[in-house]
Amino acid sequence: VAAVASQISVSSGINAEYGGLLSCVHMMIHNEYLSVRKVGERWVPTKRPHRRVDGEFYGMLYDTFLNVPDCDSLPDLEGIIDRLDGMLKAMPTRSRAESLTEHYHFMEKMNK
């Protein structure tokens, strides 16, 4: 978390909080720490989300949380939560369970 915060030169602490949240999400998806780089004026992760996750959603999440311009332009957390909730509810229960199990087994293999 501190590494991401120092990379994006946090001046207020707001970016540090969102960077910390995003680092946790990244760790759950990739089982490794988040690292970022600057492309033009935007901060982007050095690693793309696995193809098994919704790339559009997570791309938006990374872009939104890594590029908070200031304290007056905070991300719409309620909208993000609603979108995530809708994605999860759209998956059949069996599919959600299978996805979590597959992800767990995939991460086990990656750690060997």
Side-chain angles (χ1 to χ4, degrees):
V1 174
V4 172
S6 66
Q7 280 183 285
I8 56 178
S9 304
V10 176
S11 59
S12 67
I14 293 294
N15 285 343
E17 297 301 325
Y18 287 115
L21 176 62
L22 193 59
S23 292
C24 292
V25 170
H26 185 85
M27 178 62 84
M28 288 188 289
I29 295 171
H30 293 285
N31 201 31
E32 64 185 38
Y33 293 109
L34 171 64
S35 64
V36 296
R37 62 188 168 92
K38 197 160 191 177
V39 176
E41 294 296 315
R42 310 295 289 173
W43 288 98
V44 298
T46 57
K47 188 169 191 175
R48 295 178 184 260
H50 291 296
R51 65 177 181 210
R52 292 175 284 116
V53 300
D54 184 329
E56 180 185 336
F57 174 77
Y58 285 100
M60 175 276 302
L61 197 66
Y62 282 112
D63 185 62
T64 300
F65 285 3
L66 289 174
N67 297 290
V68 177
D70 54 51
C71 294
D72 295 324
S73 306
L74 300 178
D76 175 18
L77 295 180
E78 195 170 314
I80 292 170
I81 291 167
D82 288 346
R83 186 169 168 190
L84 180 59
D85 186 53
M87 285 171 34
L88 293 174
K89 286 179 178 173
M91 296 173 70
T93 304
R94 180 180 171 96
S95 177
R96 281 185 288 211
E98 288 172 352
S99 292
L100 291 171
T101 303
E102 287 172 13
H103 182 72
Y104 175 76
H105 291 301
F106 176 79
M107 287 303 173
E108 277 187 327
K109 290 177 186 174
M110 295 290 288
N111 289 326
K112 289 182 181 180

